[in-house]
């Protein structure tokens, strides 16, 4: 048994992808910012976990339009490949590129105080 397989359950679950921080082409994994390259493994893993749906937790002021486009396109491509619904939940901020990420979802939910 692989190390990761003991953490993957066969029970129905929703995969959660946390999209937090500034969107920047120079972002590194764990660096507080995100780029397509830095979060691609996390996004791919979420869709491979065989969820019933994917939830995006968005809390980003935005940043690079190119990286925002690449991340959103990756999410949409995987959603279509895996035939899954994607739901975005905007927290404090989903501005500019953060909102662009939310538009990769089939439905967007916000708090009345979200920016």
């Amino acid at each position: 048994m692989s190390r990761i397989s003991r953490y993957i359950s066969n029970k129905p679950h929703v995969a959660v992808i946390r999209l937090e921080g500034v969107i920047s082409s120079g972002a590194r994994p764990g660096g507080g910012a995100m780029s397509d390259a830095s979060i691609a493994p996390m996004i791919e893993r979420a869709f491979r976990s065989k969820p019933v749906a994917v939830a995006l937790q968005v809390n980003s002021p935005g940043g690079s339009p190119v990286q925002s486009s690449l991340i959103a396109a990756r999410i949409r491509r995987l959603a279509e490949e895996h035939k899954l619904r994607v739901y975005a939940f905007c927290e404090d901020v989903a501005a500019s590129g953060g909102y662009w990420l939310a538009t990769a979802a089939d439905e967007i939910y916000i708090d009345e105080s979200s920016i």
Side-chain angles (χ1 to χ4, degrees):
M1 177 188 306
S2 72
R3 288 179 10 189
I4 195 165
S5 65
R6 62 186 152 155
Y7 298 106
I8 298 175
S9 170
N10 290 332
K11 294 179 182 175
H13 70 280
V14 173
V16 178
I17 301 172
R18 185 139 182 82
L19 302 172
E20 183 172 44
V22 174
I23 304 164
S24 170
S25 61
R28 307 257 187 279
M34 63 184 139
S35 68
D36 182 53
S38 72
I39 65 170
M42 175 180 60
I43 294 170
E44 301 277 344
R45 189 171 46 251
F47 279 92
R48 277 196 318 265
S49 72
K50 299 187 177 164
V52 296
V54 173
L56 307 176
Q57 283 184 287
V58 181
N59 196 9
S60 172
S64 167
V66 172
Q67 293 302 309
S68 300
S69 176
L70 291 171
I71 294 166
R74 179 180 302 277
I75 292 167
R76 283 309 325 148
R77 177 181 52 80
L78 289 167
E80 291 169 15
E81 281 178 18
H82 294 270
K83 297 177 176 48
L84 290 172
R85 302 269 303 164
V86 177
Y87 301 91
F89 298 88
C90 299
E91 295 180 339
D92 296 320
V93 180
S96 185
Y99 181 69
W100 196 331
L101 299 180
T103 65
D106 297 295
E107 295 180 35
I108 301 172
Y109 296 88
I110 62 168
D111 183 272
E112 61 187 34
S113 299
S114 298
I115 297 173

